[in-house]
Amino acid sequence: IPTAKLRRIKLGNPFAVGNKHKTNFGHVYSAGGIPCRIEHGNVNTQLVWSIPPESLEYDPTLIICFEGLLETLHPYSFAAKQCVRELLTAKGAEEKVIPILGRLIPHLKNALTCDNPDTFVEAMNVVEMLSDLVGEHLNQYLHFFLRSINRRLIWLRTTIVFYIFRIKACKTKVTYFRN
């Protein structure tokens, strides 16, 4: 991920005493419970795993990472999103994800209902990755996603319509004053 994308994310203070995290992911990651670290390069930022993702137990690692999709402070936000991506694309992920799919869904639903637009977009990307990975096993959980996505689209549509009317009203005022 280019480092420039990370500049717009708020930074968490890793040295603060009694650091309050939005989810359990922040606590677990800070304590070293996720076997990865962030490597900052000149241009790109990436995760470096101390244990290859293929050999990790996905229960509870992936579940905690899914919970971390709600994190909004760097480095927790970046680490959670990148962990989910890399664990879902690892070799043999399908066999490890299917048994815990029901435990991942509530955290993904929470990310889809979050007010933060970046979190919603990332959650949609994860839904797409899950769909590609587990296929028809995801069908029984679709009603959770469709409700959340529909609510977001209704909100988005009404917001866009509101702004279009405001723009038209401003243009009408401008043409009124020009005449």
Side-chain angles (χ1 to χ4, degrees):
I1 290 190
T3 306
K5 279 189 173 183
L6 295 176
R7 289 193 183 123
R8 64 186 175 117
I9 300 173
K10 289 183 180 181
L11 294 175
N13 184 357
F15 304 110
V17 177
N19 220 356
K20 293 184 180 180
H21 300 286
K22 201 169 194 173
T23 65
N24 286 333
F25 177 82
H27 296 291
V28 172
Y29 181 78
S30 295
I34 308 290
C36 66
R37 61 182 166 74
I38 297 176
E39 184 176 276
H40 297 277
N42 290 338
V43 178
N44 290 329
T45 302
Q46 62 184 1
L47 282 183
V48 177
W49 294 86
S50 56
I51 300 172
E54 299 85 26
S55 61
L56 277 176
E57 287 294 324
Y58 278 32
D59 182 11
T61 307
L62 186 62
I63 297 168
I64 291 170
C65 291
F66 263 70
E67 188 177 351
L69 291 173
L70 289 172
E71 292 287 348
T72 54
L73 295 177
H74 182 69
Y76 312 110
S77 171
F78 170 77
K81 292 172 184 175
Q82 197 63 28
C83 283
V84 167
R85 282 188 210 115
E86 292 185 18
L87 289 172
L88 290 180
T89 57
K91 184 178 178 184
E94 181 179 359
E95 295 83 27
K96 295 179 180 182
V97 171
I98 290 174
I100 62 170
L101 191 58
R103 294 174 59 196
L104 299 174
I105 300 305
H107 302 298
L108 192 52
K109 182 184 174 198
N110 289 341
L112 284 168
T113 58
C114 182
D115 292 336
N116 186 335
D118 292 334
T119 302
F120 176 78
V121 169
E122 187 62 33
M124 288 296 294
N125 291 336
V126 171
V127 169
E128 182 181 2
M129 290 175 72
L130 264 179
S131 175
D132 291 342
L133 182 67
V134 299
E136 64 187 27
H137 296 282
L138 193 61
N139 288 350
Q140 63 185 348
Y141 303 106
L142 284 179
H143 63 280
F144 291 115
F145 304 136
L146 294 178
R147 272 190 233 138
S148 303
I149 294 167
N150 188 37
R151 285 183 188 140
R152 178 59 68 122
L153 291 177
I154 289 171
W155 175 85
L156 186 63
R157 184 175 55 210
T158 55
T159 305
I160 290 171
V161 168
F162 172 74
Y163 283 113
I164 288 172
F165 282 129
R166 283 187 64 187
I167 291 169
K168 286 182 180 179
C170 289
K171 286 182 180 180
T172 305
K173 288 179 186 177
V174 170
T175 57
Y176 175 75
F177 287 118
R178 285 186 184 164
N179 292 334

